[in-house]
Each structure stands twice: as C-alpha cells, then as structure tokens.
Amino acid sequence: MYDFSYHKPGSVADAVKMLGADGEAKALAGGMTFIPVLKQRLNKPSAVVDLSAAGLSGIKLEGDKLIIGAMTTHATVASSPEVKKAIPALAHLANNIGDRQVRSRGTIGGSLANNDPSACYPSAVLALGATIHTNQRKVAADDYFQGMFATALEPGEIITAVEFPMAERAAYAKFPNPASRYAMVGVFVAKTAKGVRVAVTGAGQNGVFRHAAMEAALSTSFTPDAIKSVTTPADMMNADIHGSAAYRAHLVGVMAARAVAAA
Amino acid sequence: MIVDGIGASVKRVEDHRFLSGKGHYTDDMNRPGQTHAVFRRSDSPHARIKSIDIAAASKMAGVVAIFTGADLAAEGVGGVPCGWQIHNKDGSPMAEPMHPVLAIDKVRHVGDPIAMVVAETKQQAKDAAEAINIEFEELGGISDVRAAIAPGAPLVHDDVASNVCFDWHIGDKAATEAAFANAFKIIKLDLTNNRLVPNAMEPRAAISEYDISSGEYTLHTTSQNPHVIRLLMGAFVLHIPEHKLRVVAPDVGGGFGSKIFHYAEEAALTWAAAKVLRPIKWTADRSESFITDAHGRDHVSHAELAVAEDGKFLGLRVETLANMGAYLSTFAPSVPTYLSATLLAGVYTTPAIYAQVKAVFTHTVPVDAYRGAGRPEATFLLERIVDVAARDLGMDRVEIRRKNFIPADAFPYQTPIALQYDSGDYQTTLRECLRMADYDGFEARRKAAAAKGKLRGIGMSTYVEACGIAPSAVAGALGARAGLYEVANIRVHPTGSVTVFTGAHSHGQGHETTFAQLVADQLGIPFNQIEIVHGDTSKVPFGMGTYGSRSLSVGGSAMVKAMDKIILKGRKIAAHLMEASLDDVEFKDGKFTVTGTDKSKAFAEISLTAYVPHNYPIEELEPGLEETAFYDPKNFTYPGGCHICEVEIDPNTGTVAVINFTAVDDVGRVINPMIVEGQVQGGIAQGIGQALLEHAIYDESGQLLSGSMMDYTMPRADDLPNILVGTESTMCTHNPLGAKGVGEVGAIGSPPAVINAVVDALRDYDVRHLDMPATPAKIWGIINAHTLKMAAE
Ligand SMILES: Cc1cc2nc3c(=O)[nH]c(=O)nc-3n(C[C@H](O)[C@H](O)[C@H](O)COP(=O)(O)OP(=O)(O)OC[C@H]3O[C@@H](n4cnc5c(N)ncnc54)[C@H](O)[C@@H]3O)c2cc1C
C-alpha cells in the first residue's frame, strides 16, 4: 500500500464533499476488491473515504419495490426475510458470492460500482431492470453498465441504493470459475411486469449483457425447451486459461436452461 | 503398560498451540532494531540488465541500504549451489551454470531477484525497491521444454548449449530393444505431468542477525532442514564456518518440498545482516511465493510398453523432457532421474526397462521436489499406460494388473532399474481396496448415475514408491552431495523425563506426537515425560531434515538406535545396583529386572543414579544418561498400495465430481493410525488437486498466467470426497522399526486413479488419454468434439 489519508464521514453529503474536493480520493465499501488492489500497489489514492458510517445499509420493501442500501453486505441480502420473500433469486445469488468472509464484507454497491465482468450482481440488476440510486440521480440498469469495469458513474458519484421491481419468476445459475469462484458464466433470467429479460455475466468480452434471442424465445414460452435451439455467438465471448469462447458460449445455454427451470 | 505408545491414535500435542494461535512462526518474530528487506525482482522472463541506478532510491526515507549482485560478487559471495550432480550418457557431468544470489548481467525468470532493499519499514523498502531505476534489454524468453531445445531457441545460460542441463539414461537398452522385438503389441502414450505451485499456507520468511562481538550469524528461516541450509549456505555461498552460523526453523506452516531448498533470499539476508549490523526480516507476499518458491513436476514424456498376447509386460521404454526452470534448485537433478525413472518397474515384473531423461533449462521458476518428487510422475505414466494397455488389448484393468504383479513371495525383488524392493504384498492391498470401494457394485452405480444424466467412472492405481532415501554411499554414487542418514540425541534427565533432539523437522506432520509415542513405547515412560526438539542447529547435533517420507523410517530409526544405547547403559547401572551380571538384567516396560527374580529398578531410579553417581561403577562407566545415534539406512523403503477413485461427470458442463476415494496403503509400521490417516488424506487432496485443478501455466515467453489464487486452482474442502483410508502393512525388513513412510503416498498414488476414473467415465467418447488437470473446459472439449464428429458421420 502507498500512504493515503483515511476518512469515515457520517453522511452521504460529507462523503460526496470529500470525494469531490479531491480528485484522487476513492470510496471504500467492503474493501474486498479495493483493499487487495491497494495492497498490490495498483492504485494510489490520496484519500480513502470509508462509506461504512454514511447510513447506506439496509433493506426495505416499499410497495412493489425492493430497495437495498449500497452498503448492504452480501450476507445480509442472502439472509434477509424481505429479499427471500420478494425476490428469492437475489438472496440465492448473494449467498453464492465468494466465501463467508467475502460475503460478510462485500457490498452490493461496491460490486456494482466496480462492475467486474465476472461479478454476479450485475446480471441480476440488468435482468430485473433495476434502478441504481446515486447521490445525484437515478440510473436505469440498461444505461448503467458500460463494459468491463465501466459504469455510468461520474467521478465522485456515490451509489446510495438499488431499487428492484418485483419479479413473477426469477433465478440465477452460475458456473463458477474453478479458481476464483467468480462467475465464469452466470445467467440471470427474470419475468417482471415489463416482460422477460435474460442477462449474462462472466462470459462476454464487454461485461454483462442481455441475451436478446433468449429473451424473445422465453417471451413466447418460459421453459427450458424454448431456448434449447437458441445459440450464443462465440465471437462475443471471453477466452482465457479457464475456457475457450466456444465453451463459454455453450455454458450460457446450459446455465440459462438451468435458471429457467429453477425460476 | 504404556497407553500412548506405538499403535495408539494419540491426539496431536502440537495442535493445541497451532489451533489456539500460539504457534511460533518466523513471521511472528520481531527483533529489537530490526529492519525489513524487500527484493526488486524481474518482471521479464529474460533480459539483459544494462544498468542499475540506485541513487535516488538510496536517498528515500527510511532506506538503510540497497545491495545488488555486484556488491555480493565484489565480496566473493558464491552462487546458490546444487546438491545433486547427474552425469550425461557419455559420463560427463551435467551443466551447472552459476546461480547468483542477486542477478548479475541477466535476469532469467519472472521473479529473479535483482536488488535487495533494507529499510526501516516494509513499506519504505517497497517504495525504494520501486524507485530503483533499471534499464533492460529484452531478450525474449521460452517456457516450454520442447521449444527450449529446438534450434534457435534463446539460451537461458550463455554457456549451456541448446539449454540441455543433462542427457541421462538408465536401464538395459539392448535387453529392452530385444523385448520390444518380441512384442505382441506396443502401447504408445504421450503424457505431460502438469507443473504445480506448492503453495504452503505459510509463505517463506526469514530473519537474519549478526552479533559483531562474537562474529556469529543467526538465521531464522522457514525450512524443512536447517542443518542442510547451514551447510549449503555456510560452506558454498557465504563461507561462514558452522560454529559461527546458527540456522533455526521454528514452527513452519507447510512445506511439501518447497522449503527443502536453499534459496537466494536466505543468503542475501544473512550476508547483509553483517553489513547493516541490524536484524533484517523478510516475508514473501503470496504473489512473490508464486514466482519464487520452487515449482513441482513439469515433465513431458513419451512411453512405450511392449506386451505379450496374454497381457504380460515385456518391456518399457520412456523418454522424458524435464523442465529445470532457469536455475538448478537444490535437488532438482535427482527428481526426474533417481527419484522417478528408477520407479518405472512399479509393482510389475516388467523384465526390461530403459529410460532417457533430458533436463532442460527454461525461463521459468526453478523446478524441484514437491510432495512425491519424481515418484508421482513415474506412477502417473505407468498407471496410465497400464490402463491404456488393458484398453488396447481388450483386457480387464484389474486382471492385467494382477497378472503382472510382483508376487508376495518374490521379495526381496530386484527390479531391472537399480532398486531392490524389500517387502510388499500388492495382491492384498488391491483386494482390500476393491472390497472397501465396493468395486463389484460399481456397474449398478454407473447405471443409476446414467439415469440422472451423469457419466460415472471408476479408476485405480496400484503403485509402489521409494522413500527414506539412502544409504548415503549409494546416494553419493548416484550424485548426492550430502549424506542421507538421520541423527537423534536422547537426553534422559535425572528424574527420568526425556528430551529428544532430532534432525528431522516437523512442518505439519505431527512429529512431536509420533516421536514421543515411539520413545514412550521403547523406554516405557509416560508420553507426557517426553519433549521433542527439532529445527535448531544450536540444539540438535546434526540432521538432514524432513522430505521423502523419511522422518520415521530414518529419523525414528536413529531414535531407536540411540535408545538402544540408553538401555544398554541403563542395564549396566542396574546390574551394578542389583549386584547382578549384565547378561541377567533385562529391560522391559520401563523396568530393569534381574531375570528370574523379583529384583528390579525403575527407569527413573537408574537415571537418577546416572546423575548422582554415589553408588556407581565409576571406573567403567561415565556418569550421565545421554546418547546420540546417526542412522544410515540400508536401503530405500517401499510403501505402496492401491487407490480407487470414483467420479461423476456432468456432460453438459464437463465438471468432474469425485464421489468416492478409497486408499489401501502399505506403509510398514504404523505408530499413530490417526496421523497416518491424516497424512494419506492430505496427500490425496493434493493428488486430486493435481489431477483435476492445479496448473501453473506459462505463456510461451515465460510469463506466469496462473500467478495468483484468482487463476491457480487450489483444492478446497468441497472439491474433495470423504476419503476412505485403510492400511495393509508388510514390514520394512531393513530398519529397526519396520516403518516405510506415509508422507507422500497420497500424492503419488492418487492422480492416476483419478484420471483413470475420468477416462473410464468418458468411455463412450473415444478417449484414450487426457493430461492433467482434467478441467471442465477440457472435458467438455472432448465431449463436444466427439459429438460433432458423430454428427458429421
Ligand atoms: C475471494 C473473493 C471472491 C469473490 N467472489 C465473488 C463472486 O463469486 N461473485 C461476485 O459477484 N463477487 C465476488 N467477489 C467480489 C465481492 O463480492 C465484492 O462484491 C467486491 O469485492 C466489491 O464490493 P466491496 O463492497 O468489497 O467494494 P470495495 O472493494 O470496497 O470497492 C470496490 C470499488 O467500488 C467503489 N465503490 C464502493 N462502494 C461504492 C459506492 N457506494 N459508490 C461508488 N463507488 C463505490 C470503490 O471505490 C472501489 O473502486 C469476490 C471477492 C473476493 C475477494
């Protein structure tokens, strides 16, 4: 780690002020990604602004919306009665992120701000058509994810909460990377009032994406059989030491079918 | 009666300290006035160092000193030595290029140390290490052994032509050719034994100190063999005599071989302590461990097995390319040669065997012994080709093994390649393992799995390995530059409690328990009266350390020899006290008794007499009760047995689940069955790791692609099945304990059992062989290719 100053503001407003005043300052949530990056000296912030006292954690059901505060940990989401009742698939997803230690520290806001192409949450947010609340605006999921590690967030902008609509049916199926256990391919399928959406994480060269062909097929019939003959173009897929593009494209189909069956 | 003696599953006494955070590891220590070292390492696999500018870095806050290779060379510091010399086919010695402690002129692998920064804090040392200005000229590296020996490949060492370290062979070539001429069939197989990163839980660490008033150096280091480090570093690198160099290996959190070797960092730290006149501490980061701890395996082999029509093996010939990495690590040359090729007879009567090994330098981390060291490579090759032979001949896999086993009444058995096995009973370990694994019930389980859409397979390996390396004279003739005996010093205190100083070293094995059980049993004193001391050259007379499953068979035997001397002296004292002749005094269950009488003396009475020699045969006998023994083994020991693995493959994803694993091993005498079971299970976890998960992958030029836990798959608890362990022992015939060793059997026997099971599960997909690790991607690739082929036909 390089030296930095550490701040723990008591409100979002103060946090925003600190981040705004110093272009080199960075927000800290659970630190599960950020701390290793600091330890490896891959980032050199002047100040670290810890969001843990800014009042951003908590889960509430408001009418037909589930609202999860940005600093809510994966463990809290996984065990929340509200989440289990409203969107059980989301609790299931959170319960399979990383390991127990990671789930106890990592947050939904940190995950979405980071937008790791192998992270699980982006697929849920995109498939459910959720809305990201920040200190200055509300951003629709469709506009939020902008490729690997890239989002609509402006410098100094803080995610405050994520708002999910109710889902008639939803499920997440994940094929873990054997080493990191992040998603090598993760598929979230959802049927909401606005229709059927399928989002794929882990596999694509550009981060999380919607699978239009599957969405069309599932809109007609929400069954695993409906997507049996839907293919995923391998040239959009990632390839690395853990698997070829063709393998990932194949897994998208397998995971989608499993998600549909489970939804 | 001693309840905690041989054969009891005594709970490990060391675990209290390990489980309650009271372990005393190197990184736990801090010395007054201590400084911190950080190494600036090469990011390039192969480059010329055009210049090193430390001027700016030296002026940074907290920097105490910065040293480069030139500083060490100027003071005559030697290269890091290799402890085993192999000779080429033509009798000439292997190429042994200089391995500088800090790089001089060139860097040869990613991680090669170039400079050492010593600073007040670790952060300051890191800051300065980054600020060192180095100009490189990239030379282009090479990581694959085949590419490294191709014409025009970049040379790792300018003075080693075509990157070949040695070109060695063993066995009777003519007899083998003759056997092949008579073969009914020749089974051919190409295989790669995947490269592994050891990943002990505790990274390497060291603290060096120099006492200017006495001229004494002390190095605390994460070592499996502190005396070997003292010898190599003192004699060859730093020229410090033994009495001025103390090496201590305190609690060590796992080694698996990677902490046998003498590493450059240890020498640099020790040398520099006398320069800065302050203690220096260094602890590797995990990322640093990936690129500096010696890796394991990395053999590419072509094997051919000549078989008769009835399935009898007639001959075997093998050609191996072994990756040495950029420099020769301490025991690297022995691994593909005397620790691997000599095992190619396995448990079979194959009469003619010929093996050739070319060791090759590449721009990768040095490769050396890793749990099993050479024997897993030989076992994988052999047990795979035996399965392929059964397949090609249309024979049953159990049947072909049974037919070729060395029979139980054929021991001692001389193999055609150097080794003489002393004992074993391969039919029995196979039979027991088949029974415990319910082999006969497998087809029903296969059907049940198929009904769920899963591909179930079963596979086995029947193996033997060679442990407890030695005799010293034989090892010396084969190229070892050290003796391979072990040392025990037994100090009986006046009141009868005992401290045992052993040259073996425990880094997870539970020696403090096993050895105490052994001593309790032999001396007939309570377990809690015994303390085991290891890992400090200033306490233990000498020792060769722990590796090659040698601690009990060699180290334990040394204890037995030392106890024999204690008992003899005790009998002399007892004879004097009881006014009997020596021949009439016997020792049993902690008592010296005059035969045929009720006259006896307890062990503690004798020890007290030895230290308070008022009524004592002082003319013939010195006071005190302390004895030392050096035990040099007469032969290797030969643990062996059978492993059976059952897997289930999900054809949709290629994922392999290990459903059942059964091991029945012959480990000779068992002191603590619980510890034996734990050792077997741990070894199997590593074997399953190698077979399914682990792979150190380099790109062509020598960049490590799986350089962190994010990309290197360590086995986790949920990757492993419940492992059933049985033992069916025959005794080792040449050591006083009958012990053979258990540390490595799991890692040696299991990988081929797993792959044989995977290949069996894929029987409908036309697979003859697949290399480790059998990842989901690889398996799906096979299934997919077959499906496409069938569709095309
Ligand atoms: C071993 C391991 C395994 C993992 N496995 C998985 C997995 O299987 N699936 C998965 O999805 N994830 C996985 N993760 C990631 C983890 O779950 C976290 O989601 C992730 O580390 C980011 O969340 P965090 O709260 O730790 O954020 P931090 O690491 O604290 O921050 C990450 C980034 O987001 C920024 N940031 C944080 N909060 C906000 C905010 N509210 N507004 C704006 N910017 C913000 C920070 O400045 C930083 O740049 C794993 C992590 C580890 C270490």
Side-chain angles (χ1 to χ4, degrees):
Chain A
M1 264 181 219
Y2 297 106
D3 276 349
F4 51 78
S5 60
Y6 171 83
H7 308 282
K8 194 172 179 179
S11 70
V12 173
D14 284 351
V16 168
K17 219 180 287 164
M18 287 167 183
L19 289 169
D22 179 350
E24 305 279 288
K26 288 270 285 179
L28 172 71
M32 291 294 93
T33 297
F34 193 35
I35 300 285
V37 164
L38 292 177
K39 281 168 80 175
Q40 289 180 57
R41 300 186 154 216
L42 298 173
N43 201 310
K44 197 174 179 176
S46 54
V48 167
V49 180
D50 183 343
L51 302 179
S52 62
L56 290 175
S57 56
I59 297 170
K60 45 188 187 210
L61 267 172
E62 274 179 11
D64 58 355
K65 284 175 190 144
L66 175 71
I67 298 175
I68 303 180
M71 286 297 288
T72 311
T73 64
H74 310 326
T76 306
V77 172
S79 60
S80 152
E82 289 86 359
V83 179
K84 283 187 188 164
K85 181 161 159 264
I87 313 173
L90 204 55
H92 172 256
L93 174 148
N95 200 38
N96 284 288
I97 291 176
D99 49 47
R100 195 178 285 267
Q101 290 86 338
V102 166
R103 291 193 292 276
S104 301
R105 294 284 315 167
T107 66
I108 187 169
S111 178
L112 294 173
N114 196 44
N115 192 20
D116 188 305
S118 308
C120 299
Y121 267 129
S123 66
V125 168
L126 189 59
L128 288 162
T131 305
I132 315 275
H133 294 195
T134 78
N135 60 303
Q136 56 197 60
R137 57 188 169 138
K138 293 183 180 180
V139 189
D142 286 316
D143 303 323
Y144 178 80
F145 300 105
Q146 303 193 346
M148 291 201 189
F149 299 105
T151 69
L153 291 178
E154 305 281 347
E157 188 172 4
I158 293 178
I159 300 178
T160 52
V162 189
E163 173 190 320
F164 292 94
M166 293 300 127
E168 254 173 73
R169 300 174 74 172
Y172 178 62
K174 169 181 176 179
F175 188 86
N177 174 304
S180 72
R181 303 253 176 119
Y182 273 72
M184 185 146 135
V185 172
V187 179
F188 200 102
V189 298
K191 190 171 182 188
T192 66
K194 290 192 178 151
V196 175
R197 290 168 61 129
V198 178
V200 180
T201 190
Q205 283 173 7
N206 265 319
V208 67
F209 67 92
R210 283 175 61 183
H211 202 305
M214 284 191 185
E215 290 181 359
L218 291 171
S219 300
T220 315
S221 157
F222 197 85
T223 59
D225 276 350
I227 49 172
K228 232 179 186 161
S229 54
V230 176
T231 55
T232 304
D235 57 10
M236 289 173 58
M237 298 290 113
N238 241 333
D240 60 19
I241 57 171
H242 302 289
S244 62
Y247 180 50
R248 280 186 168 80
H250 165 78
L251 285 177
V252 170
V254 177
M255 293 301 123
R258 287 185 185 174
V260 171
Chain B
M1 259 308 284
I2 290 302
V3 286
D4 293 337
I6 292 177
S9 284
V10 179
K11 285 204 179 136
R12 304 194 341 161
V13 289
E14 46 270 83
D15 284 347
H16 188 278
R17 119 172 150 261
F18 295 150
L19 297 176
S20 63
K22 299 282 186 339
H24 195 59
Y25 297 92
T26 301
D27 190 58
D28 295 330
M29 292 176 208
N30 290 296
R31 292 285 182 261
Q34 147 188 308
T35 62
H36 297 265
V38 163
F39 290 87
R40 170 70 182 265
R41 299 185 181 277
S42 175
D43 296 326
S44 164
H46 188 202
R48 188 173 311 287
I49 302 172
K50 289 171 71 182
S51 64
I52 306 181
D53 179 3
I54 60 166
S58 301
K59 292 194 198 91
M60 289 172 70
V63 173
V64 175
I66 299 178
F67 301 106
T68 64
D71 298 322
L72 277 75
E75 294 218 359
V77 170
V80 180
C82 178
W84 201 296
Q85 186 183 49
I86 294 293
H87 286 81
N88 292 302
K89 285 174 181 166
D90 67 8
S92 59
M94 68 183 189
E96 213 170 337
M98 172 73 171
H99 178 184
V101 170
L102 296 174
I104 294 171
D105 301 336
K106 255 184 163 190
V107 285
R108 297 186 174 83
H109 69 88
V110 172
D112 209 358
I114 302 166
M116 178 172 73
V117 179
V118 181
E120 299 293 339
T121 70
K122 188 166 184 175
Q123 293 307 318
Q124 289 170 330
K126 279 193 178 182
D127 289 342
E130 276 174 17
I132 297 173
N133 210 335
I134 307 176
E135 250 188 298
F136 291 107
E137 178 193 342
E138 291 297 332
L139 297 173
I142 201 127
S143 64
D144 181 84
V145 280
R146 285 156 294 205
I149 56 170
L155 290 185
V156 181
H157 298 277
D158 297 333
D159 50 349
V160 181
S162 63
N163 292 322
V164 176
C165 172
F166 60 78
D167 183 4
W168 171 91
H169 66 163
I170 193 169
D172 187 335
K173 188 177 180 187
T176 308
E177 297 310 322
F180 273 80
N182 293 323
F184 166 69
K185 234 188 175 128
I186 297 175
I187 315 295
K188 298 183 181 176
L189 192 61
D190 288 295
L191 4 69
T192 298
N193 207 284
N194 46 325
R195 186 180 182 112
L196 305 175
V197 180
N199 271 320
M201 198 180 291
E202 178 206 27
R204 286 191 295 120
I207 301 183
S208 63
E209 294 163 84
Y210 178 68
D211 182 339
I212 194 168
S213 61
S214 66
E216 230 175 85
Y217 293 82
T218 303
L219 178 71
H220 281 78
T221 183
T222 47
S223 174
Q224 301 178 212
N225 35 225
H227 285 91
V228 175
I229 303 306
R230 186 183 65 172
L231 181 65
L232 292 174
M233 181 170 78
F236 298 100
V237 191
L238 301 181
H239 316 298
I240 305 169
E242 283 93 336
H243 70 295
K244 293 294 182 195
L245 178 56
R246 175 182 172 206
V247 178
V248 187
D251 282 336
V252 172
F256 312 110
S258 71
K259 292 173 182 165
I260 298 172
F261 322 121
H262 175 39
Y263 286 96
E265 294 87 356
E266 293 167 326
L269 249 73
T270 306
W271 177 82
K275 299 284 164 248
V276 303
L277 297 173
R278 289 170 65 183
I280 310 175
K281 180 172 182 173
W282 167 76
T283 302
D285 294 340
R286 180 62 62 185
S287 317
E288 206 173 2
S289 303
F290 267 92
I291 53 169
T292 66
D293 291 1
H295 290 178
R297 320 283 192 251
D298 206 346
H299 291 181
V300 176
S301 297
H302 174 75
E304 297 187 0
L305 180 68
V307 288
E309 196 166 2
D310 64 355
K312 269 280 197 189
F313 306 154
L314 304 174
L316 177 70
R317 56 188 176 206
V318 176
E319 276 175 67
T320 295
L321 292 175
N323 200 336
M324 295 284 104
Y327 303 103
L328 287 179
S329 175
T330 310
F331 288 121
S334 68
V335 175
T337 52
Y338 292 107
L339 295 180
S340 191
T342 51
L343 264 185
L344 287 170
V347 291
Y348 310 112
T349 54
T350 317
I353 299 174
Y354 178 64
Q356 307 178 73
V357 178
K358 237 182 222 165
V360 179
F361 289 113
T362 61
H363 295 103
T364 62
V365 173
V367 180
D368 206 329
Y370 170 69
R371 202 171 192 171
R375 291 150 290 162
E377 294 90 323
T379 304
F380 183 68
L381 182 150
L382 200 54
E383 289 305 293
R384 277 301 301 135
I385 205 165
V386 165
D387 254 36
V388 172
R391 177 184 191 270
D392 289 0
L393 292 171
M395 275 181 78
D396 180 73
R397 292 174 291 167
V398 176
E399 199 43 47
I400 198 167
R401 286 180 165 84
R402 285 206 165 117
K403 183 165 251 162
N404 286 286
F405 275 165
I406 298 161
D409 59 10
F411 293 92
Y413 178 82
Q414 179 62 53
T415 73
I417 30 168
L419 301 180
Q420 194 192 71
Y421 303 162
D422 62 336
S423 64
D425 181 354
Y426 310 129
Q427 297 283 3
T428 299
T429 43
L430 171 63
R431 190 185 63 236
E432 262 311 288
C433 200
L434 291 170
R435 185 188 65 75
M436 279 172 63
D438 185 23
Y439 189 79
D440 292 341
F442 174 72
E443 285 308 324
R445 298 195 292 279
R446 191 194 308 264
K447 277 205 196 85
K452 296 183 298 171
K454 296 280 170 68
L455 311 171
R456 192 138 168 154
I458 196 164
M460 73 190 65
S461 84
T462 48
Y463 75 97
V464 63
E465 55 131 339
C467 289
I469 310 189
S472 293
V474 173
L478 302 181
R481 285 166 168 162
L484 283 152
Y485 46 83
E486 199 44 84
V487 184
N489 169 258
I490 304 221
R491 182 175 299 162
V492 182
H493 303 290
T495 62
S497 67
V498 171
T499 304
V500 179
F501 299 88
T502 170
H505 182 274
S506 188
H507 29 281
Q509 292 88 343
H511 289 177
E512 288 165 52
T513 307
T514 303
F515 288 154
Q517 284 181 255
L518 170 60
V519 172
D521 195 278
Q522 306 277 298
L523 295 184
I525 58 175
F527 178 82
N528 63 10
Q529 293 293 299
I530 301 155
E531 179 78 13
I532 307 294
V533 174
H534 60 79
D536 187 341
T537 62
S538 72
K539 294 182 182 166
V540 178
F542 201 73
M544 298 310 298
T546 286
Y547 40 83
S549 311
R550 69 194 298 277
S551 299
L552 184 65
S553 65
V554 190
S557 293
M559 284 174 206
V560 172
K561 294 285 181 195
M563 285 188 282
D564 286 347
K565 295 184 190 177
I566 296 275
I567 291 165
L568 177 61
K569 187 167 180 185
R571 281 174 55 224
K572 288 180 183 166
I573 299 169
H576 174 86
L577 289 179
M578 296 186 284
E579 295 171 344
S581 80
L582 177 62
D583 289 344
D584 289 340
V585 176
E586 60 176 16
F587 179 69
K588 214 178 148 220
D589 295 337
K591 268 197 230 152
F592 296 88
T593 310
V594 180
T595 325
T597 73
D598 59 358
K599 277 206 273 186
S600 77
K601 292 280 174 194
F603 186 74
E605 290 178 80
I606 296 303
S607 61
L608 192 64
T609 306
Y611 286 94
V612 187
H614 296 166
N615 177 12
Y616 197 81
I618 202 79
E619 296 298 327
E620 298 112 60
L621 216 53
E622 291 171 18
L625 197 52
E626 172 169 345
E627 297 288 354
T628 299
F630 281 58
Y631 174 76
D632 199 70
K634 297 194 179 68
N635 190 355
F636 289 78
T637 62
Y638 298 97
C642 178
H643 288 191
I644 295 180
C645 177
E646 207 166 317
V647 300
E648 220 167 71
I649 293 175
D650 176 349
N652 291 315
T653 60
T655 312
V656 182
V658 181
I659 306 290
N660 295 315
F661 200 102
T662 311
V664 175
D665 299 297
D666 173 353
V667 299
R669 172 92 58 218
V670 171
I671 307 292
N672 183 319
M674 180 194 69
I675 288 180
V676 163
E677 189 173 345
Q679 286 289 315
V680 173
Q681 289 182 338
I684 289 169
Q686 274 174 304
I688 291 175
Q690 168 162 31
L692 298 179
L693 307 165
E694 297 184 50
H695 199 181
I697 302 174
Y698 277 97
D699 77 1
E700 281 172 22
S701 76
Q703 287 291 345
L704 183 59
L705 300 178
S706 50
S708 81
M709 297 294 183
M710 294 298 278
D711 285 305
Y712 186 89
T713 314
M714 290 295 285
R716 291 171 229 212
D718 64 358
D719 292 313
L720 303 171
N722 187 26
I723 297 167
L724 277 183
V725 177
T727 45
E728 280 295 329
S729 287
T730 59
M731 293 299 126
C732 169
T733 61
H734 57 77
N735 68 42
L737 276 169
K740 295 187 177 181
V742 69
E744 294 160 298
V745 293
I748 293 168
S750 60
V754 177
I755 296 299
N756 287 344
V758 169
V759 172
D760 181 53
L762 295 172
R763 61 207 259 162
D764 294 335
Y765 295 89
D766 194 27
V767 191
R768 200 162 168 270
H769 173 69
L770 84 136
D771 277 324
M772 304 183 286
T775 60
K778 197 181 280 177
I779 289 180
W780 178 78
I782 289 168
I783 292 174
N784 188 47
H786 182 78
T787 312
L788 294 176
K789 192 173 137 209
M790 296 317 280
E793 276 170 13

